[in-house]
Amino acid sequence: MEATKKSLLKELRQTLPQELKGNYRYQRLPALTRCLLATRKILFEKPLLRKPADLDILSFTILPEVVALWDHTISLSLGELPKQIIIGDGSGNYRPEGNSQLWVMPIYNFSHGTKLDVFFSQVCASDLVLISDDDVFWTDGAPVKWALDRFEKDSKLAAVSFNPRPHLNPQLRGVVSEAMGSYAVLIRRDIWLKEKLSFQIYKPDNWKQIGNYFDVADYANLQLVQRGYHVISAPEELRQTLIPFYGTSMWALKILASKGDIDRVVYAYRPDEHKKAYRTALALLGFRGLLDQLAMKEIKPLVPVDYLDRTLEEAAKSLDQQTKDAVDADIQSKLALLSKRLLIN
């Protein structure tokens, strides 16, 4: 399951047609070239290990307008903590200014589990690595400080989750109370590498009979517990300081592909598809407003405003008023909290 040169090349060949159609079609050829050249370094040159810090912070993105805000919030929240922020840029277009703690590395947009495996082995260097989705925003350093204290006191502690997976895989029931997930989790990298663990999705032979497979990081979660390591979740009051927006990248690409005519890309047999499109469009419009307030003129949003406006209009037709009002209230409250954190300094 580990990412090898052979498996990376295989995944690249298998996914390139889809990525050309669904991602790099919008990022453009120069961006794809940057990503492929950087990926070539991983495949054919020495590991790109950085100097160790107290903490590596790792995220991946295809949306510059999202990761710019993520970087800004986490830098503010963990400002005094010695760290290095590493962004695997699957867009090839994120080129920020003025953050000496930030290292942006273009990378071909492999699956999330593959990118995590590659960066854990070849890019990260610190013992503790904080993994965060680019649409999970940090408003306070308290959760990380709490976790660092737990790691110092417990040598068998392998991971602390700040945003556990909302649904427990059948194979994990009775083993853990919550799955750590990969949305926002702090991991002891030395244990991870020593145990030869992988973040990738795992499908055992009998997964269809069980009813589900292991999603990103779930199988490693099971292996850690079975091998005697400790995996815990942060207390609820600390989790509440995070502001999560889910599925932003996936739905941004769907909005791009449909030019806002969202009925072309939703699946009727999946629940809440219009709701997810509506949420994402509302969030992306809010992110643009925050970028304007922060005067981040170097950040060029990927998704045009007219596509987002049309998505809101079309998706709203399939939502009842109660659902629409609930989504409006949820996203606006999150944006207000995010604005307060971003603009407080």
Side-chain angles (χ1 to χ4, degrees), residues 150-158 188 191 229:
R150 294 303 183 276
F151 276 107
E152 187 174 342
K153 294 176 179 176
D154 183 359
S155 62
K156 297 289 285 184
L157 182 59
R188 198 188 298 270
I191 288 177
Y229 294 104

Side-chain angles (χ1 to χ4, degrees), residues 97 288-299 343:
E97 300 175 356
R288 294 179 75 105
L290 291 172
L291 288 173
D292 289 342
Q293 291 181 63
L294 292 166
M296 290 186 172
K297 299 185 185 302
E298 78 277 11
I299 305 300
L343 301 174

Side-chain angles (χ1 to χ4, degrees), residues 215-236:
D215 209 336
V216 176
D218 282 354
Y219 189 53
N221 191 165
L222 176 64
Q223 291 176 300
L224 284 169
V225 174
Q226 288 177 333
R227 296 174 189 180
Y229 294 104
H230 305 150
V231 178
I232 64 175
S233 298
E236 186 63 33

Side-chain angles (χ1 to χ4, degrees), residues 19-20 38 70 83 97 100 119 179 202 205 225 237 243 250 262 264 320 328:
E19 285 297 317
L20 286 172
W70 174 87
K83 61 189 177 300
E97 300 175 356
S100 61
F119 273 63
Y202 175 58
D205 292 340
V225 174
E237 64 268 22
I243 306 175
M250 179 183 73
I262 206 67
R264 290 168 44 198
D320 61 71
D328 287 341

Side-chain angles (χ1 to χ4, degrees), residues 22 29 46 53 109 271 334 342:
L29 182 60
K46 293 180 180 179
N109 194 37
K334 288 182 175 182
L342 286 166

Side-chain angles (χ1 to χ4, degrees), residues 11 123 144 215:
E11 183 174 334
V123 179
V144 173
D215 209 336

